[in-house]
Amino acid sequence: MAKQEFQAESKRLLDMMINSIYTHKEIFLRELISNASDAVDKRHFRALTDSSLAPEGGYEIRLSPDQETRTLTIKDNGIGMTRDELENNLGVIAQSGSLQFKKENDAVEDVDIIGQFGVGFYSAFMVASHVTVISRACGEEQAYRWDSDGADGFEITEAVKDDYGTEIILTIKESSEEENYDEFLQGYKLSSLVKKYSDYIRYPIRMTLPHPVMKPKPEDAPEDYQPEYETVYEDQTLNSMVPLWKKAKKDIKDEEYTQFYTEKFFDYMPPAHVIHTKTEGLSASYNALLFIPQKPPYDYYTKDFKKGLQLYASGVLIMDKCEDLLPDYFAFVRGLVDSPDLSLNISREILQHDRQLKAIAISLEKKIRSELLKLQKDDREKYTEIWKNFGLRIKVGAYANYGADKEKLRDLMMFYSANEKKYITLKEYREAMPEGQENIFYAAGSSIEKIDKLPQAEMVRKHGYDILYLTDDVDEFVILQLEEEDGKKFRSIADGDLDLSTEDEKKEAEQKAADNRPMFDLMKESLDGKVKDVRLSSRLVNNPVCLTSEGTLSIEMEKVLNAMPDQQGVSAEKILEINSAHPIFDTLCKLYNEDQDKLKLYTSLLYTQALLIEGMPIDDPAAFSNEICKLMAE
Ligand code: ADP
C-alpha cells in the first residue's frame, strides 16, 4: 500500500504542532486518553442494546511504557476504527475552521488550539517521532494498522488483533539538551499526568507499575540478616473515575472546571460562568454542569451552529448534542446533563417525546434564567459582557412566536442608557423616571455614537429624560413586542407627537402651525409624495430639521427591512419637521412671500439633509452637491 499524503489543511496543522505552537507537550496524553474514553463511551452505548459487544473483563484504558523500545502504548477496548475510519479520522482534521482561527489569532500564542478544534490526535507528534495505530472496529474480523512519521503522510496496512479496540504506539523522540522526552516513558510521570489531567475519566486508566516488596525472611536467616526486596509488577488504576459533575461543588477548584470545559467543549478561553447544579425533584432528577462561554464560538452566527447539551443516562453518554434540552434563546449555553431517570437504551426518536426529558428541559431553563438574573444583580460587569455577546439571541427569542416567551425574557434584557452611559435593565429605567415623565423613550440607530448625534433627541434630553439606545436590528421590533414596562409605554424619540410641551407652549405652537399651514402645504407638495407632511417641530432645539415617522413602521425599521432580500420597497410614513427657533425658519417664511421657486429648492435641500442625518440613501447626491455649490457661489 502506497503512502498517502495528509490532507493539505492537516499537513499545515501538523507542521504547526511539531514546531509546537503549544509549549506544554505533556497534554498529548490527555488528548489520547480523552479519545480513548470517547471510543469506550461509544462501545458502551452500543453494548447496551447488544450485550455480546461488551468486553469480558470490563472497559479499560491501558498505558504501557517500554524504555527499551522507547515506546509508549495507549490501549483502549473501545469501539475501534475500520480501515476507512482510520483513513478519514486520522488523515484529516475533524473540525474545519481551525486553521482559519489560527490565522485570525496569530497573536494568541499559548492558546489551546489543539484541544479546541478536535485535532487532539495530532498532538501525539509533539512527543513521538513515529506513531502506529492498530485498530479493530467492533464487530469486524479484520484489524488495520496506520503508520506515520508525521510530516510526509501515512500508510495503512492489514494487521492482526485479537480484541476490539485501538492501540496507539508512540515512539518517543530522543531527548535533546532543550527538551526532555524521556519522562514520557517513566511510570511515575505518566501516573502523575493522569492524575493531573484525566482523573475524572469514567473508565479505569491502568498501568502496570513496579512495586518493591520485601522478601519473606528465610527461616535459617543469619543474625545479621538484611531484608531483601524484589520488584513485583502490579496493576494499578491511576484515576479516581468520579466524573466532575458528580463531585461536590466545594471539592472542585475553578481550574478543574476550566480544564474540563476547555477540553471537552473545544474552547480556548475559560468559561465566563459555570452553573453546577444537582436537582432532585418529583418531575426530574439530574446533575447538570453548564457553562456560559466568554465569546460566541466562531460558527455561532452561521447556520452550521447547533445548540444542545451532552446527555448522560446514569453516567453513560447517550447523546452528544441534545437539542431539546435548550430553548433557542439559551443556545449559547454549553455543558451536560446526567440523569438516572432516563432509560439507557432509548432511541433518539423516542427521546424527543420523552416526558422526563421535557421535565428536565423545563427545569434547566428555569435554572439558567435564574442564574442569569442572579449574575445581573450580583456581578453586573460579567452579566453585561454576557449580554453583549449573547443578548441578541435572547431578544430574538422575545420577539419570535408572536412574543410567546417575552415575559420570561423581559427581565434579562438590557439596553444602553444615554444618561447612565452603560447598559441598564428596563426596570432600572422605569425606576429612575422622574415625576411627570409619561413614556419610556428610545432611539434606534446603527451605533451608540450615531444615536448620540440624532437631532430628534434634543427636546427629550433637554427635559433630562433618559433614552434607551437600540442598536441591534431586532431591537425596535422587540420593544414593540414588549409594548410597555410597568404601565409606561415605550415611545420612540422620532415618534409622531412626543407630548413634551406645556399647555401654553402647545397653544402657541398650534397657532404658529396654523399661521404657516399654507407654506408647509406648498413645501409638502414640492416634495412630491416623499413625505406625508411638513410640520413645525416640537422636539428640535438647535438643529434645523429632522425626519420623523407616523404609524408603526419607523424610519429605522424601514432601513432594517430594506436590507433584507425579500422585504425591499417598504417605506415609513415620513414627516419633515422644521425648527421654528432656527434662523432658517425665518428665511423660509420670507421666501414664501417673495420667491416660491427658491422655497421649493430649499425644501428639497432640507429634506436631503434630513435624510443624510438619518443615514438614509439620497436619490441624487450629485444634484444635491451642485445645488449647495450654487448657493455658496451666490
Ligand atoms: P476529536 O477527538 O476531537 O474528534 P482527534 O483528531 O483527536 O479529534 O480524533 C479524530 C477522530 O479519530 C475521533 O473523532 C475519532 O472518531 C477517531 N479516534 C481517535 N482516537 C480514537 C480511538 N482511540 N478509538 C476510536 N476512534 C478514535
Side-chain angles (χ1 to χ4, degrees):
M1 170 87 205
K3 203 166 251 182
Q4 302 184 49
E5 289 262 328
F6 283 108
Q7 195 207 37
E9 269 223 328
S10 312
K11 190 159 157 31
R12 289 198 44 205
L13 196 72
L14 202 57
D15 289 343
M16 258 160 48
M17 202 78 60
I18 296 166
N19 303 317
S20 203
I21 51 155
Y22 199 91
T23 43
H24 313 300
K25 298 188 184 299
E26 63 188 29
I27 59 98
F28 80 94
L29 188 65
R30 171 187 93 187
E31 297 298 317
L32 297 183
I33 288 177
S34 160
N35 280 350
S37 167
D38 289 349
V40 174
D41 264 344
K42 286 178 195 156
R43 178 162 176 191
H44 193 169
F45 181 61
R46 265 182 61 186
L48 292 172
T49 46
D50 180 356
S51 55
S52 72
L53 289 180
E56 249 169 49
Y59 297 100
E60 74 161 14
I61 297 163
R62 182 168 286 277
L63 308 183
S64 319
D66 183 336
Q67 310 218 351
E68 254 150 53
T69 54
R70 274 195 88 76
T71 55
L72 169 63
T73 302
I74 296 130
K75 181 174 183 211
D76 66 67
N77 52 7
I79 192 87
M81 281 177 274
T82 61
R83 193 190 184 293
D84 280 355
E85 281 166 345
L86 275 173
E87 180 170 339
N88 294 326
N89 295 345
L90 305 185
V92 298
I93 295 169
Q95 311 211 13
S96 61
S98 42
L99 274 185
Q100 191 56 33
F101 171 84
K102 171 65 180 141
K103 274 184 227 143
E104 286 163 8
N105 292 272
D106 260 343
V108 198
E109 261 307 304
D110 212 20
V111 299
D112 187 355
I113 191 176
I114 298 163
Q116 180 176 13
F117 290 109
V119 289
F121 173 75
Y122 287 83
S123 63
F125 287 104
M126 296 198 303
V127 299
S129 53
H130 185 94
V131 178
T132 301
V133 181
I134 300 173
S135 196
R136 183 170 158 204
C138 234
E140 298 285 327
E141 278 308 313
Q142 183 64 52
Y144 292 91
R145 175 184 167 124
W146 182 100
D147 271 290
S148 174
D149 292 331
D152 58 340
F154 60 90
E155 214 171 346
I156 297 178
T157 47
E158 289 190 353
V160 179
K161 194 170 184 304
D162 293 339
D163 52 353
Y164 302 139
T166 302
E167 231 178 293
I168 300 191
I169 305 155
L170 309 178
T171 306
I172 299 294
K173 290 182 189 173
E174 296 290 344
S175 289
S176 66
E177 258 171 41
E178 301 94 58
E179 305 271 8
N180 173 18
Y181 293 104
D182 295 354
E183 57 182 8
F184 302 126
L185 294 166
Q186 285 153 3
Y188 73 90
K189 174 69 184 181
L190 295 168
S191 133
S192 80
L193 288 179
V194 169
K195 266 266 165 264
K196 182 168 170 191
Y197 292 116
S198 312
D199 191 57
Y200 58 81
I201 293 285
R202 289 184 315 285
Y203 305 101
I205 303 168
R206 297 204 177 102
M207 185 162 47
T208 309
L209 283 169
H211 191 63
V213 194
M214 206 192 293
K215 282 187 183 168
K217 192 174 169 183
E219 271 176 23
D220 55 348
E223 236 167 64
D224 59 347
Y225 171 79
Q226 294 288 322
E228 281 181 33
Y229 290 89
E230 64 180 346
T231 306
V232 291
Y233 285 84
E234 207 178 58
D235 226 18
Q236 285 186 14
T237 299
L238 309 174
N239 54 331
S240 74
M241 292 194 280
V242 179
L244 191 64
W245 61 92
K246 286 216 171 136
K247 284 192 184 166
K249 255 200 257 191
K250 62 174 173 41
D251 297 334
I252 304 177
K253 294 196 224 65
D254 282 352
E255 302 93 83
E256 287 180 84
Y257 282 129
T258 298
Q259 191 209 317
F260 182 84
Y261 167 73
T262 50
E263 182 187 328
K264 213 168 167 88
F265 297 101
F266 307 125
D267 200 346
Y268 65 99
M269 282 191 274
H273 190 61
V274 180
I275 306 173
H276 187 179
T277 162
K278 192 178 160 112
T279 305
E280 262 158 58
L282 280 179
S283 52
S285 298
Y286 63 87
N287 282 301
L289 184 50
L290 309 178
F291 302 91
I292 299 175
Q294 272 189 44
K295 292 266 174 255
Y298 65 92
D299 61 351
Y300 189 60
Y301 292 107
T302 71
K303 59 178 183 341
D304 294 338
F305 178 80
K306 288 216 164 39
K307 63 169 182 167
L309 298 175
Q310 280 196 336
L311 182 62
Y312 290 80
S314 307
V316 181
L317 180 68
I318 56 174
M319 205 189 272
D320 201 37
K321 270 214 170 134
C322 183
E323 284 183 49
D324 302 327
L325 285 171
L326 285 177
D328 280 342
Y329 38 85
F330 292 151
F332 54 89
V333 177
R334 318 292 305 272
L336 58 89
V337 176
D338 188 355
S339 171
D341 299 344
L342 296 165
S343 150
L344 273 176
N345 41 16
I346 195 163
S347 78
R348 267 156 215 252
E349 296 73 53
I350 298 173
L351 204 52
Q352 273 174 3
H353 307 289
D354 191 84
R355 271 183 43 235
Q356 297 297 346
L357 195 74
K358 285 220 168 73
I360 294 173
I362 290 168
S363 160
L364 273 180
E365 179 182 342
K366 280 197 193 129
K367 182 74 199 165
I368 295 170
R369 181 174 174 273
S370 70
E371 278 282 327
L372 286 172
L373 286 174
K374 208 164 105 203
L375 264 187
Q376 190 192 62
K377 200 163 130 265
D378 302 340
D379 191 345
R380 182 52 69 93
E381 209 180 312
K382 199 194 237 189
Y383 185 78
T384 304
E385 271 313 298
I386 292 174
W387 178 253
K388 282 192 198 159
N389 279 317
F390 303 110
L392 184 58
R393 284 249 175 174
I394 296 181
K395 290 187 283 192
V396 170
Y399 172 71
N401 296 328
Y402 306 100
D405 296 311
K406 67 178 177 183
E407 291 314 323
K408 277 192 279 189
L409 303 174
R410 176 189 290 273
D411 293 345
L412 294 172
M413 289 194 208
M414 299 216 294
F415 295 96
Y416 185 84
S417 145
N419 284 0
E420 301 291 324
K421 307 245 171 303
K422 61 177 191 197
Y423 284 80
I424 63 168
T425 65
L426 296 173
K427 204 168 176 184
E428 283 160 354
Y429 182 104
R430 175 72 184 83
E431 282 166 4
M433 274 168 76
E435 189 99 14
Q437 182 182 347
E438 288 309 319
N439 292 298
I440 297 177
F441 293 107
Y442 66 84
S446 56
S447 71
I448 289 169
E449 295 72 29
K450 284 201 173 137
I451 303 177
D452 260 337
K453 299 196 184 90
L454 285 180
Q456 289 93 330
E458 283 187 313
M459 192 57 86
V460 179
R461 273 190 228 285
K462 208 176 157 198
H463 276 77
Y465 299 159
D466 198 2
I467 302 171
L468 296 175
Y469 284 12
L470 311 188
T471 48
D472 274 330
D473 283 356
V474 68
D475 285 353
E476 229 180 334
F477 298 90
V478 174
I479 286 288
L480 274 186
Q481 190 71 266
L482 291 175
E483 287 175 272
E484 45 116 62
E485 170 70 23
D486 191 22
K488 296 290 182 191
K489 287 222 171 332
F490 292 109
R491 200 96 195 245
S492 162
I493 56 152
D495 204 29
D497 177 20
L498 283 182
D499 214 11
L500 291 171
S501 323
T502 61
E503 285 307 313
D504 283 350
E505 284 167 344
K506 262 189 214 161
K507 270 213 189 99
E508 197 186 323
E510 268 165 30
Q511 188 57 47
K512 214 174 197 171
D515 293 347
N516 292 289
R517 197 65 255 169
M519 175 175 82
F520 289 146
D521 284 344
L522 182 67
M523 289 171 79
K524 174 188 161 186
E525 218 171 284
S526 77
L527 285 173
D528 199 19
K530 292 192 186 92
V531 298
K532 197 180 162 221
D533 203 2
V534 178
R535 279 181 206 159
L536 220 52
S537 181
S538 62
R539 81 190 79 225
L540 294 172
V541 179
N542 296 313
N543 282 278
V545 282
C546 71
L547 276 180
T548 62
S549 63
E550 246 174 29
T552 38
L553 197 66
S554 73
I555 291 172
E556 201 50 36
M557 286 164 143
E558 174 184 320
K559 277 193 252 170
V560 171
L561 291 173
N562 277 320
M564 297 178 182
D566 55 345
Q567 288 277 4
Q568 281 168 24
V570 294
S571 171
E573 291 185 345
K574 300 184 192 66
I575 314 288
L576 180 66
E577 293 195 357
I578 313 284
N579 181 1
S580 67
H582 194 279
I584 191 70
F585 182 71
D586 299 332
T587 307
L588 293 174
C589 293
K590 203 163 143 232
L591 288 178
Y592 179 67
N593 294 320
E594 294 172 7
D595 186 350
Q596 296 206 341
D597 279 342
K598 203 161 194 178
L599 174 67
K600 286 180 191 167
L601 170 66
Y602 277 28
T603 304
S604 146
L605 293 179
L606 284 171
Y607 172 70
T608 310
Q609 289 175 37
L611 285 178
L612 286 173
I613 294 171
E614 280 301 318
M616 308 273 284
I618 59 178
D619 292 339
D620 193 344
F624 176 65
S625 158
N626 286 334
E627 294 294 357
I628 298 268
C629 283
K630 220 158 85 192
L631 289 176
M632 288 162 79
E634 260 178 20

